[in-house]
Amino acid sequence: MSQERIRNFCIIAHIDHGKSTLADRLLDATGALADREKRAQFLDKMELEQERGITIKAQTARMKWRAADGEEYVLNLIDTPGHVDFSYEVSRALEACEGAVLVVDASQGIEAQTLANAYLAIDADLELIPIVNKIDLPAADPEGAAREIEEVIGLDAADVIPVSAKEGTGVGELLQRIVDRVPPPRGDEQAPLRALIFDAWFDSYVGVAALVRVFDGALEQGMRVRLMAEGTEHEIHELDVIDPHPRKVPRLSAGEVGIVICGIKSLEEIKIGDTVTSAKGGSTDALPGFREVKPMVFSGLYPVDGEDYGALKTALEKLRINDGSFQYEPETSAALGFGFRCGFLGFLHCEIIQERLEREYGLALVTTAPTVRYQVVRKDGSVREIETPAALPDATEIDRIEEPMILATIHVPQEYVGAVMALCQDRRGSQRDMSVHGGRVQIRYELPLAEVVADFHDRIKSATRGFGSYDYDLVGYQAAALTKLDIMVNGEPVDALSMIVHRDKAQARGADLARKLKEFIPRQMFEVAIQAAIGSKVIARTTVRALRKNVTAKCYGGDITRKRKLLEKQKEGKRRMKRVGSVEIPQEAFLAALKIGDDS
């Protein structure tokens, strides 16, 4: 296929603006699927994606379309996620394209991730095609949404295409616009091979499958290739294009997107963002690849059964190759045994990884409370980064603790501005600025990342009745009055429940957590004290009352001293039991750390 008749594009939008439904209509319009194969959100392959109605992994499809000039074009589509936690997937997809379709909801207008993804596409120098989706809704205002696109992003409102992905309205016009506006790839087929690996996954039958975009030269079955970052050589066993099911092809030319299978069995041998070139006479200049992504949220994953540690390690290795933004390293806990300290881009990312491990690999896991990466400045001037409260040095050595700060961009209808500002103030935020576009307000707040990591997205939705959205960027570190909060059960500290909190909120946080734990820790034959402490000072306490056996039940009348002896004996037994007894803490107690404040 001539490069002049290839178009590589992706679909970008805020979450739930109809990207996956639009992808379905594009597949229908190009005849890529037989009637028996059609289903809603066809490109969302994972069970989790279908259940939650969100895209987690970017997916590709190759379509053929006969344009108005009578020529047949090959369109390589990448459907991307919309949630802020999966923005790394979007940035990878943009590197493999020349154009992007920007989807805006006709009833909701521009949202936080609409803006963030549009700027990513502009930075990548892509041709942007704006469309207004869901024009079939009763509350739709396509003209207002188009004006908002012009005011906020700067794209001409006259170029905005009205579309209903549900009914298929405007899809033909969109396909023609893609052919007319998106530039063809500009690779050199005679130059040495250069192909970018922008996604990969593990298949138990063929090993590692790498999704590549060929920029120069061509890939052919049987040729030997070299991975430039790793320096390893492999023979190509199979080449596939996805249209929309994998189909074997003998060759992938410059400008094309496809799957390369080389029989790679070791997960460490491949890296997303690497450049594939010929083993002999290959290129010496690697493609730019992707910026190294830094996790922002950290949580411990431990198997409930210690014997599953090896299975958990293997599962994490397989997930790591498919998700370059996810990182992990081994760690041990006195309470939970051997496990892994994992880094994620956000709380939803953490939740999705945990669910995938449990569903796809059949693992039962305990997850510790999420934390962020702090910078500890010692009195001698040295700086140390820590991700767990256990790694915090002794208080006498610390000069100050700096926490990561984010700049949150929040989009809300005007009537909910007060509720959102109150929420941000409660989370120790400081307002940067505010602007009004139509009936919606854009507020920018500087907030500590630790205050938004667990439930801020849900609170924004609650405060705005589902109409609010937010996006954030890390802006640096700032000193704060932070301290380590320890939780002790029966006098023993539980390291998995320790957390770093602001001093002003330590007492309330400790009391809330102690109260929550009381609900989940089962009653014993002795009293169980649950305490929150800062250093040696206990700042909150609650008690799980002992189970009481009536030892005097069979004493009918008679001497009172006999009853007293039995009660004293019982009391001494409980005292002795408390000295040697250990309390098993169920997984729900660890999850309680994530839900502090839900009842307030």
Side-chain angles (χ1 to χ4, degrees):
M1 172 65 71
S2 164
Q3 284 189 69
E4 291 300 320
R5 294 210 297 274
I6 295 175
R7 300 290 184 271
N8 297 315
F9 72 99
C10 60
I11 303 175
I12 56 176
H14 186 79
I15 191 168
D16 202 30
H17 277 202
K19 296 180 300 300
S20 298
T21 307
L22 178 63
D24 289 346
R25 297 294 81 77
L26 293 175
L27 292 171
D28 291 349
T30 55
L33 290 170
D35 288 343
R36 61 184 173 79
E37 295 175 318
K38 292 177 183 177
R39 61 171 175 80
Q41 279 81 46
F42 180 84
L43 293 180
D44 289 346
K45 308 288 186 189
M46 284 167 28
E47 189 182 333
L48 262 177
E49 292 178 314
Q50 292 161 20
E51 277 183 18
R52 288 175 174 247
I54 60 172
T55 301
I56 295 167
K57 285 294 299 175
Q59 298 290 345
T60 61
R62 173 174 160 139
M63 307 171 290
K64 290 185 178 177
W65 168 253
R66 194 167 295 281
D69 60 5
E71 295 286 347
E72 189 174 69
Y73 289 81
V74 167
L75 310 177
N76 289 310
L77 154 72
I78 304 178
D79 181 25
T80 65
H83 198 280
V84 60
D85 282 15
F86 306 115
S87 56
Y88 186 61
E89 290 281 326
V90 180
S91 67
R92 284 177 7 198
L94 296 176
E95 291 294 329
C97 301
E98 281 79 35
V101 175
L102 179 67
V103 183
V104 177
D105 190 314
S107 61
Q108 295 184 358
I110 286 180
E111 301 270 24
Q113 277 300 106
T114 313
L115 211 54
N117 289 337
Y119 289 152
L120 282 175
I122 292 166
D123 290 344
D125 200 24
L126 302 192
E127 178 68 33
L128 265 182
I129 299 175
I131 71 166
V132 171
N133 190 24
K134 303 188 183 182
I135 59 170
D136 55 293
L137 292 178
D141 180 13
E143 293 81 12
R147 282 195 305 274
E148 205 174 330
I149 290 172
E150 183 168 351
E151 287 173 18
V152 180
I153 301 175
L155 300 172
D156 192 347
D159 284 343
V160 178
I161 305 172
V163 171
S164 168
K166 184 179 178 182
E167 297 177 352
T169 311
V171 171
E173 186 185 346
L174 172 60
L175 285 164
Q176 187 61 46
R177 184 73 61 86
I178 290 166
V179 167
D180 293 342
R181 291 282 184 90
V182 176
R186 289 281 173 242
D188 184 355
E189 286 199 37
Q190 306 307 316
L193 168 67
R194 290 198 306 166
L196 177 71
I197 300 174
F198 67 94
D199 202 359
W201 58 90
F202 189 84
D203 187 296
S204 53
Y205 295 102
V206 297
V208 178
L211 191 60
V212 302
R213 154 73 194 273
V214 184
F215 281 86
D216 294 314
L219 287 162
E220 293 182 359
Q221 191 171 341
M223 77 182 288
R224 286 194 69 78
V225 292
R226 178 166 51 89
L227 303 179
M228 295 183 74
E230 301 298 326
T232 54
E233 292 188 9
H234 307 275
E235 183 180 323
I236 296 177
H237 295 175
E238 188 181 315
L239 293 171
D240 295 323
V241 292
I242 307 171
D243 58 0
H245 303 291
R247 174 173 61 84
K248 291 183 183 179
V249 291
R251 175 185 171 94
L252 285 175
S253 304
E256 292 192 290
V257 174
I259 299 171
V260 179
I261 295 169
C262 298
I264 299 173
K265 296 293 188 288
S266 170
L267 299 164
E268 288 78 24
E269 286 185 55
I270 199 162
K271 180 182 175 185
I272 292 174
D274 201 352
T275 302
V276 181
T277 190
S278 312
K280 289 185 179 177
S283 174
T284 55
D285 296 327
L287 292 162
F290 310 110
R291 59 184 173 81
E292 284 292 326
V293 66
K294 284 192 173 183
M296 303 176 79
V297 177
F298 299 86
S299 183
L301 290 179
Y302 294 85
V304 171
D305 185 349
E307 292 181 2
D308 288 339
Y309 178 79
L312 175 58
K313 183 181 179 185
T314 304
L316 290 173
E317 285 175 351
K318 290 180 179 178
L319 280 183
R320 172 76 177 90
I321 191 174
N322 188 227
D323 186 350
S325 59
F326 163 61
Q327 296 180 8
Y328 67 93
E329 59 184 31
E331 78 165 1
T332 56
S333 161
L336 301 170
F338 292 100
F340 293 90
R341 189 76 188 160
C342 302
F344 311 93
L345 290 183
F347 188 58
L348 178 66
H349 190 204
C350 169
E351 208 178 312
I352 293 295
I353 290 288
Q354 185 190 349
E355 281 204 48
R356 288 186 68 183
L357 288 167
E358 289 176 346
R359 290 186 184 206
E360 297 174 24
Y361 301 96
L363 295 165
L365 300 172
V366 174
T367 311
T368 64
T371 60
V372 298
R373 180 178 277 146
Y374 296 94
Q375 287 186 348
V376 179
V377 181
R378 295 173 184 259
K379 289 182 176 175
D380 62 5
S382 62
V383 179
R384 178 182 172 190
E385 289 192 336
I386 64 160
E387 295 149 14
T388 62
L392 201 63
D394 190 83
T396 56
E397 300 176 25
I398 299 172
D399 178 51
R400 65 183 184 277
I401 303 174
E402 297 181 348
E403 61 182 345
M405 302 295 292
I406 61 164
L407 182 61
T409 305
I410 306 165
H411 288 249
V412 292
Q414 287 184 356
E415 59 266 34
Y416 301 116
V417 169
V420 169
M421 290 177 73
L423 174 64
C424 292
Q425 295 291 349
D426 183 55
R427 298 298 174 96
R428 298 192 284 124
S430 59
Q431 189 178 332
R432 181 75 70 86
D433 55 44
M434 184 191 296
S435 56
V436 181
H437 305 286
R440 294 180 70 81
V441 180
Q442 175 184 294
I443 314 170
R444 294 201 305 164
Y445 259 91
E446 207 167 283
L447 290 150
L449 177 61
E451 294 285 348
V452 305
V453 71
D455 62 349
F456 190 70
H457 182 262
D458 295 338
R459 292 301 174 90
I460 285 280
K461 289 293 181 188
S462 298
T464 61
R465 297 190 181 179
F467 291 107
S469 65
Y470 92 107
D471 171 50
Y472 61 82
D473 291 303
L474 195 66
V475 291
Y477 283 79
Q478 185 174 299
L482 302 170
T483 187
K484 182 185 175 186
L485 179 68
D486 286 313
I487 300 297
M488 296 188 292
V489 177
N490 203 19
E492 293 293 323
V494 183
D495 56 349
L497 291 174
S498 296
M499 58 182 70
I500 296 173
V501 296
H502 195 273
R503 282 190 181 275
D504 294 347
K505 294 191 172 187
Q507 186 156 0
R509 186 69 64 93
D512 280 350
L513 187 49
R515 177 176 49 81
K516 281 274 187 185
L517 289 175
K518 183 179 178 179
E519 297 172 18
F520 294 103
I521 293 177
R523 291 174 71 187
Q524 313 288 323
M525 294 301 292
F526 52 88
E527 278 190 354
V528 177
I530 303 169
Q531 298 167 307
I534 296 175
S536 58
K537 182 184 178 184
V538 175
I539 59 170
R541 173 187 167 128
T542 186
T543 305
V544 180
R545 294 293 173 198
L547 289 167
R548 187 175 182 278
K549 181 181 177 184
N550 189 358
V551 292
T552 63
K554 292 184 180 179
C555 296
Y556 301 105
D559 188 1
I560 189 67
T561 56
R562 188 177 169 211
K563 289 185 180 180
R564 283 195 187 129
K565 274 184 189 175
L566 287 170
L567 290 169
E568 287 297 327
K569 199 171 179 182
Q570 182 187 42
K571 194 186 292 183
E572 178 56 32
K574 285 190 176 184
R575 204 176 288 124
R576 191 166 57 249
M577 212 186 294
K578 188 173 184 178
R579 282 199 299 270
V580 298
S582 62
V583 182
E584 186 176 333
I585 304 172
Q587 182 178 357
E588 290 80 9
F590 294 102
L591 296 178
L594 311 183
K595 299 174 182 172
I596 295 172
D598 280 2
D599 302 329
S600 58

